[in-house]
Amino acid sequence: MDISYKDSKLRKLCENSREANRKLGADSAGKLQRRLSELDAADNVDELIAGNPHPLEGDRSAQFSLALAGGKRLVFTPDHDPVPLKDDKGIKWSAVTAVTIIYIGDYHD
C-alpha cells in the first residue's frame, strides 16, 4: 500500500525510531513500526488484521484506526481522488490502496 503523511512532523515520527521512542514510548514506538510494515505489505486496507483495525465514526468518519500501545492509535484516511465508495456512500476500504497518516496518539483524551 502507498503511505503518505499529513505533515513532516508525522513523517519524522514514523521514520525516525529515536523520535518515536521519545514521543510515544518504547511499546508504542515498536508497535508503530510493525503497523507501518503491515500497511506497506498490504494491498488494501481490508488485508490489515493486527492492531484491531476498524473504521471510525462520527466526527472521525472517513478515518481508519490501528491500535498501538497504551491507548495510542495510528489513524489514516484514504489517499484517493475520488475516494472509493460503496453504494451506501460509505468508504469501500477494500478498494483503498493508498493512505495518508493523519494522527498518532490517543484521540480519547
Side-chain angles (χ1 to χ4, degrees):
M1 194 167 344
D2 293 326
I3 303 169
S4 60
Y5 303 88
K6 179 178 117 180
D7 56 35
S8 61
K9 288 169 66 174
L10 277 173
R11 177 182 291 280
K12 182 178 180 182
L13 185 64
C14 290
E15 294 180 351
N16 184 316
S17 59
R18 184 177 297 147
E19 180 78 2
N21 277 317
R22 187 173 66 77
K23 291 203 171 181
L24 302 173
D27 290 343
S28 283
K31 293 262 177 133
L32 174 61
Q33 291 310 306
R34 285 192 292 280
R35 300 296 174 255
L36 290 169
S37 293
E38 292 158 359
L39 277 168
D40 186 51
D43 289 328
N44 64 64
V45 173
D46 271 0
E47 290 184 2
L48 300 171
I49 56 173
N52 187 27
H54 62 280
L56 299 176
E57 299 175 345
D59 62 343
R60 288 192 175 270
S61 66
Q63 299 178 7
F64 202 93
S65 174
L66 298 173
L68 300 177
K72 293 179 180 69
R73 307 284 189 273
L74 181 151
V75 179
F76 58 84
T77 58
D79 190 8
H80 291 269
D81 187 20
V83 172
L85 299 176
K86 301 182 288 187
D87 290 338
D88 68 1
K89 304 298 182 207
I91 295 174
K92 186 175 183 180
W93 291 104
S94 63
V96 173
T97 59
V99 299
T100 299
I101 296 174
I102 62 165
Y103 180 79
I104 297 171
D106 186 348
Y107 53 74
H108 296 109
D109 284 345

